[in-house]
Amino acid sequence: MVPAIVKRHPVRFGLLAVVLATLVLAACLVSRQLPDGPIPTETYAALSGKADGPVVVVLPGIQDDMESFKASGIVEQIQQANADATVILAAAEFGYYMDRSLLERLQREIINPAVVAGHSEFWMAGASLGGFGALLYERAHPEFLTGLVLMAPFTGRKELAKNIAKAGGLAQWQPGPAPSVIHPDDVPYEVWRMLKQFTQQPERAARLWLICGRDDKFYLAAQQIAGVIPDSHYVEPDGGHKWKVWAPAAGEVFSRIFQNAPDSAGPPD
């Protein structure tokens, strides 16, 4: 059971590989071969049989393969919250970030076919690296998604989150003018710049939900994001950076989301 709630300018995605490579090397998880095909997916049709209900695209953490992804319990949690929901596990490994194809592939291989099939409500959920992927998608296609559910998202170096916290949070943090050229370390910085904009865009902030365990390594960053979204959109369970923490909390979050029956988003550009 989840505890009580606690209170564009363009990006050159090739640089994202440089930023994230440090994280991958530290974990000895560097992809030795770039992907040469579509993002592996598993689609779980709505339990109710509804063909045009909400779609939830889920992006994995950096250590997930499809088997661990399926075993996480996230599909069951989402479909228990809404039997009309179609869930798509998109096992986008680090290579799809590294070869700069993640966002284009998500749109072409997953989102566009779902629109053609008659779906109009889209959610994107991401854990750790996948949470960063979801935020990048939001930057590329602002407000297309009905909403995002972030589970302890990776958002760059801890020093950046520390600097934001020292400034008093995102509302007080001054990122400075947007650079004309995006350098490697600027990719997470520009994601944080987008999140700062949410402080002046409450309707956009209300589309974001956040889960982070109290012992999670990305807890400080999550606290800064939590400061710009509605209090009820942040869930802080016990535990660390693991699916056994995220999946049950996601079930609670999606139950609240679907009880509120958000309006559908329009089709992508």
Side-chain angles (χ1 to χ4, degrees):
M1 181 175 180
V2 178
I5 299 169
V6 181
K7 223 222 131 148
R8 187 164 136 132
H9 66 266
V11 172
R12 293 192 324 198
F13 291 104
L15 298 174
L16 177 59
V18 181
V19 177
L20 296 181
T22 302
L23 179 65
V24 178
L25 286 167
C28 300
L29 290 166
V30 171
S31 297
R32 302 201 178 271
Q33 183 175 347
L34 294 177
D36 58 1
I39 296 173
T41 60
E42 292 271 355
T43 299
Y44 297 80
L47 298 178
S48 67
K50 189 172 177 64
D52 59 353
V55 171
V56 183
V57 179
V58 190
L59 302 178
I62 198 166
Q63 299 188 58
D64 288 313
D65 56 22
M66 183 57 85
E67 292 309 307
S68 64
F69 203 13
K70 291 191 291 185
S72 69
I74 189 66
V75 174
E76 294 81 358
Q77 292 287 350
I78 294 169
Q79 293 192 321
Q80 285 172 16
N82 188 345
D84 291 341
T86 294
V87 180
I88 302 175
L89 298 184
E93 63 178 55
F94 179 68
Y96 292 100
Y97 294 79
M98 195 170 184
D99 76 354
R100 306 167 242 181
S101 69
L102 175 69
L103 299 182
E104 187 273 334
R105 286 186 177 277
L106 284 173
Q107 195 67 36
R108 174 168 51 87
E109 299 170 8
I110 298 173
I111 301 295
N112 288 348
V115 171
V116 171
H119 297 279
S120 60
E121 180 181 336
F122 291 88
W123 291 81
M124 191 170 289
S128 192
L129 176 63
F132 192 43
L135 287 167
L136 290 173
Y137 186 90
E138 171 67 13
R139 288 195 77 252
H141 303 277
E143 300 187 80
F144 163 72
L145 295 170
T146 307
L148 300 86
V149 177
L150 308 178
M151 295 169 275
F154 168 74
T155 53
R157 296 175 180 172
K158 190 173 183 178
E159 287 73 17
L160 181 50
K162 284 182 178 179
N163 289 338
I164 294 169
K166 284 181 181 178
L170 278 167
Q172 287 74 41
W173 178 57
Q174 299 300 320
S180 57
V181 177
I182 307 296
H183 296 292
D185 286 347
D186 291 335
V187 178
Y189 197 92
E190 295 309 304
V191 168
W192 280 110
R193 188 191 300 277
M194 175 188 71
L195 289 168
K196 178 178 173 58
Q197 294 169 1
F198 286 16
T199 64
Q200 302 299 318
Q201 300 171 334
E203 70 291 339
R204 194 175 180 193
R207 296 167 47 256
L208 196 155
W209 297 69
L210 176 65
I211 296 163
C212 188
R214 294 187 180 95
D215 300 319
D216 197 285
K217 61 185 177 181
F218 296 148
Y219 182 79
L220 178 61
Q223 292 295 295
Q224 310 317 305
I225 300 173
V228 305
I229 64 177
D231 291 351
S232 61
H233 287 204
Y234 177 44
V235 174
E236 189 182 278
D238 291 327
H241 204 71
K242 299 178 180 180
W243 275 110
K244 68 179 182 180
V245 175
W246 302 327
E252 175 66 18
V253 164
F254 277 105
S255 292
R256 295 173 185 171
I257 285 170
F258 290 125
Q259 285 170 5
N260 291 334
D263 293 333
S264 295
D269 295 334

